[in-house]
Amino acid sequence: MNLPYKQILFWLIIAALLTPFFINTQTYFPFIITKATVFRVLVEIMLVCWLGYLIKSQKTKEIFRHPLIIAVAVFGLMIFLSAIFGVNFEWSFFSGNERMEGVFGIWHFMLFFVILATTFKKEELEKLLQSQIYISLFYAFLALLAYQGVGQVTSAMTSNRLAGYTGNPSFYATYALFNAFLALYFAFEEYSNNHQLINRWFVIFLGESLLMILTGCRGAFLAWLGTLFLMGLMIFWKSSDKQLKKVLGILIVVILVGWGSLFAFKETAFVKNNFALARLTSFSLTDPTTVSRLLSAQTAFRAFLEKPFFGWGIENYQTAYIKYFNPTVIKYLPGDFFFDRAHNKPMEVLATSGIFGFLSYLAIFVIALRIIFQKQKQEPQWFLSGLALAGALVSYFLQNVFIFDFHESYLMFYLTLAFVASLAPVPVKAEVPALKTSAHSDFAPELFKGFIFLATLCLVIYSLTFWVISPYLVSKNIINVMKLVANGQGEAAYELAQDLFRQPTFLRHDAVIGLDKFISAYQNKLDEATLKKLVDLLLTNADLSFQETSNYLILLSKADLEIIASRWDETALARAEENFKQAIELAPNFPQPRLSYARLLINNNKYEEAKQQLDVVITLNDKLPEPYYFLSALAQAQGDLDKSREFLIKSIELGLQLNDKNTILQIVNNLVPLKRYDLIEKLYLQAIQLDPKDARLYVYLAADYGKLHNKEKAIEYALKAQQLDPSLKEASQEFIQLIQNEEWEKIPD
């Protein structure tokens, strides 16, 4: 069959470049799983077409000759060895729904690179790069719409920051950064031909750069600025183009003056009220994010020293992080200190794949830059273009010091590497015609190629079925089980959960952790018989998962589930207690297992043991609100109401977050006699977040603002209550009249 393999591959690659657009809000981790699934399906189809292309074009030997392909293959081998010698091979190889990376995922990107590098020439890859840049412009358009709340991705889903369909502003910043420097490459290509620097590509470069800046991601901004500075030095040193040097000088002055002005006025409302500008003027070695990243890098290095050769296995950084956790991080990031990534890619590679993986990772960049510099020497007119292309790789490496890889960054990195590989094509050796020694043809080579093709086809079918489609279906079914539980359809939820756990074992971990939290929150929606079946099912699979590897999160899930099981099993609390002890042993400097354990001890009247755990948490970080909240509960249980109120007030002052409206209202009743209307305001705002359609909460908050003599807010919430419940109109108007007349004493508590 004479198929146009190359043309098919071209359009499959275009489809792969569109995968950042794929999200599905009906899946577990909606911004990750769908992109990864579609990309893997496309790459595996590409693999079959590529083998057909190689067989047809007789190029099978060439793929082993290119130094960049060899470097990528060596790194691929090193991460596989790290998985074998690491602490959890299955997790290293397959990863989970949250990241969808692992050896299996990275190999797909490497295969994507090899297919591009061995199939297309420089001119063809330039067309693909240009297509990617145009795709990124449409992506930027959708990102801006999403930022304004238009479309299925809203700003609320991305922390009210510019992130688009990546779901994370740091991810989008990296994506824009790559496309900015690729656009600059084509801007310099046009400049070399017509000496007009201000062209469409340069405008795109400025646009992508601006979008990157608007994300407020300081790591990407520093990488962009540092790379431009290095490029500027190279141009002033190497180039004889006076016009370019003049434009570059003006650009440097504009950037420095602009950034300097922002720093000069960083205390003004204009800068403070703009998130991106505020972020870009808040560089400090004592900044919480900066300190936490530095401490995480130190943790990664300590982990590397224990396993220096092949590391802990990629995807296993979390295990190393827990073991070598520095509790100082909690003081800087009290609510977000639990990392499964080092937030420093080079250090993470060092910790998870050892020195061999680290050196092979660096070798990819060294060889790629060497190819670019060699071409610059061979073609001096290509100097600027090569500089921009090198800038894409350098800026990517620099920003990776502050973050980690993900779908969009891998896609852009290996696409760029494929183009770099095309700059140094491997010369094809002239084939010496074989002497004809027999009238009969030797069909063995053709049969072997046919066997390889069929074997690959079978492997692809198996992979797509069990390793690509199954994770996606599990991700969807986790959400479906959650919906059924929330709707009180316990039996249907149980049957679907059973099907879910029949999937490949590497997906069990995600399912247990995801469903445990939801069932804990919605257990009252289910009858006890059905709840028992669901909990027993989760506990069985949690035990199986824990037997495979001692996982801290699985232990916490087991403890939560055992607490639920104590409703019908008297021995379950003892098992929950044992699970918490094991979790504390694994992560002695983590507050969460100690807090959960303390709550269990308080409920079981073990007050001294509970206090010991809470004291340890306060020693780790005395700014956490939760230990004081539990100390309040402990004091109340012991009959010391004054001490209980004291701890309760301190917990609210420190920012206690509650997830039950009725609990909040009970606490408010305790605070009213104390006239702590400032704290009552915080609690009512939380209650409204939990139940935004309860008109009573707006009435209560309006009255609280009246007590605080805040006219504007009191009237605002009184009107909101009236909108939700028109029957409150008369009372609302009377209240507003009191506020306007400043008759504060007439406002009821």
Side-chain angles (χ1 to χ4, degrees), residues 645-670:
R645 278 193 291 267
E646 180 186 331
F647 283 128
L648 179 63
I649 288 171
K650 184 161 188 175
S651 69
I652 299 170
E653 288 175 338
L654 290 171
L656 177 69
Q657 294 293 313
L658 297 163
N659 58 12
D660 181 74
K661 183 178 71 171
N662 293 327
T663 301
I664 291 173
L665 295 177
Q666 288 174 8
I667 293 174
V668 167
N669 289 334
N670 291 330

Side-chain angles (χ1 to χ4, degrees), residues 159-329:
S159 305
N160 294 311
R161 294 172 64 183
L162 183 64
Y165 282 38
T166 65
N168 185 312
S170 297
F171 295 1
Y172 182 65
T174 304
Y175 185 71
L177 186 70
F178 251 120
N179 284 287
F181 280 101
L182 292 180
L184 188 60
Y185 167 81
F186 289 109
F188 282 149
E189 284 283 271
E190 283 202 12
Y191 177 74
S192 298
N193 294 327
N194 55 29
H195 290 280
Q196 291 183 355
L197 183 58
I198 308 302
N199 52 52
R200 57 177 172 155
W201 298 110
F202 189 74
V203 172
I204 293 173
F205 162 74
L206 294 177
E208 295 279 8
S209 298
L210 178 61
L211 289 168
M212 180 272 300
I213 291 170
L214 290 176
T215 64
C217 295
R218 293 169 293 186
F221 177 72
L222 285 176
W224 176 81
L225 199 63
T227 302
L228 288 180
F229 177 74
L230 292 173
M231 289 174 62
L233 288 179
M234 292 295 291
I235 289 171
F236 278 114
W237 178 33
K238 294 279 189 177
S239 177
S240 59
D241 191 326
K242 294 182 180 180
Q243 178 189 352
L244 181 62
K245 288 182 178 180
K246 182 179 178 181
V247 172
L248 182 62
I250 294 171
L251 184 62
I252 290 173
V253 170
V254 169
I255 292 173
L256 292 177
V257 170
W259 199 25
S261 300
L262 287 177
F263 267 99
F265 295 99
K266 68 178 182 178
E267 299 301 326
T268 63
F270 172 74
V271 175
K272 282 186 172 182
N273 294 335
N274 185 296
F275 179 82
L277 297 181
R279 290 269 295 176
L280 297 178
T281 54
S282 60
F283 290 94
S284 169
L285 289 177
T286 59
D287 175 80
T289 303
T290 304
V291 173
S292 65
R293 301 301 189 261
L294 292 173
L295 292 174
S296 182
Q298 291 176 9
T299 298
F301 187 72
R302 291 175 64 195
F304 156 72
L305 293 178
E306 181 180 338
K307 297 180 182 293
F309 300 111
F310 293 104
W312 293 69
I314 65 165
E315 294 293 313
N316 288 322
Y317 177 73
Q318 187 179 92
T319 304
Y321 179 75
I322 289 172
K323 182 172 183 179
Y324 291 104
F325 177 69
N326 186 335
T328 307
V329 175

Side-chain angles (χ1 to χ4, degrees), residues 555-572:
L555 276 172
L556 293 185
S557 292
K558 284 180 65 181
D560 288 342
L561 292 165
E562 294 288 10
I563 290 172
I564 299 173
S566 67
R567 289 168 53 174
W568 55 81
D569 182 355
E570 293 180 356
T571 63

